[in-house]
Amino acid sequence: MRTESGRRQAKYFSWRPQLDEAVIRKGRIDEHIFMGNPRKEHGMHILRRKFEQDAKVNIGDFLIPLLYEKLHNMKYKEYLRKAEFWEKNGQQAQRLGPEDVRPSGSELVMLYKDIKAEAFFAQMKEGVLDGNCCIRISEETAETYFQKIQESRE
């Protein structure tokens, strides 16, 4: 990508080592900008904003940290499974701690959409959607959602 000054920028995300060296070698790119996944506080802010912007969803503020932690734990377990697989197949895997593996912004947005759908269909089935079609997301909704995800990955 060229900037207004004519400089060439490369914006890349978490996996710079997977980029072709010919593309990122000296002389091709003037400036490298790393854009990692959002830190915990920013991730929770993204999630909170998605729910706040949706007038049809009712969620307790206490659920935001719970949802984030459950997604984070799921991502870290997924990373550990991948690292174990790489090592079993003779590839070196960088060992990261839980604080280094964070959900991406798109994963947080998908969590919002999926939890909303989970709550909507559960409430439709129970016949408890109110006249304003307000979807209530509870701790039980979150538990059910993450249990389904875990079962589908086993």
Side-chain angles (χ1 to χ4, degrees), residues 20-38:
D20 185 346
E21 285 299 319
V23 173
I24 58 174
R25 73 174 185 250
K26 190 174 177 112
R28 291 270 172 117
I29 305 296
D30 299 312
E31 187 175 355
H32 294 255
I33 301 169
F34 173 72
M35 297 177 71
N37 291 339

Side-chain angles (χ1 to χ4, degrees), residues 26-72:
K26 190 174 177 112
R28 291 270 172 117
I29 305 296
D30 299 312
E31 187 175 355
H32 294 255
I33 301 169
F34 173 72
M35 297 177 71
N37 291 339
R39 298 204 181 283
K40 181 178 180 175
E41 60 274 9
H42 298 123
M44 286 195 301
H45 178 74
I46 290 169
L47 205 48
R48 185 174 289 111
R49 291 274 299 158
K50 290 303 294 178
F51 285 111
E52 287 173 354
Q53 291 173 346
D54 193 332
K56 294 183 179 181
V57 176
N58 181 355
I59 184 170
D61 205 40
F62 74 95
L63 280 175
I64 300 298
L66 174 76
L67 291 174
Y68 182 88
E69 283 304 317
K70 287 189 167 293
L71 180 61
H72 175 260

Side-chain angles (χ1 to χ4, degrees), residues 48-110:
R48 185 174 289 111
R49 291 274 299 158
K50 290 303 294 178
F51 285 111
E52 287 173 354
Q53 291 173 346
D54 193 332
K56 294 183 179 181
V57 176
N58 181 355
I59 184 170
D61 205 40
F62 74 95
L63 280 175
I64 300 298
L66 174 76
L67 291 174
Y68 182 88
E69 283 304 317
K70 287 189 167 293
L71 180 61
H72 175 260
N73 291 341
M74 187 175 76
K75 291 298 300 174
Y76 187 63
K77 286 177 185 175
E78 182 180 303
Y79 160 75
L80 291 175
R81 282 194 304 273
K82 286 179 182 178
E84 185 178 319
F85 174 80
W86 293 329
E87 289 170 353
K88 282 183 182 177
N89 289 293
Q91 296 176 355
Q92 188 172 353
Q94 182 182 7
R95 281 297 177 167
L96 301 175
E99 67 282 352
D100 299 316
V101 178
R102 300 181 300 269
S104 69
S106 63
E107 289 168 328
L108 292 162
V109 171
M110 285 307 300

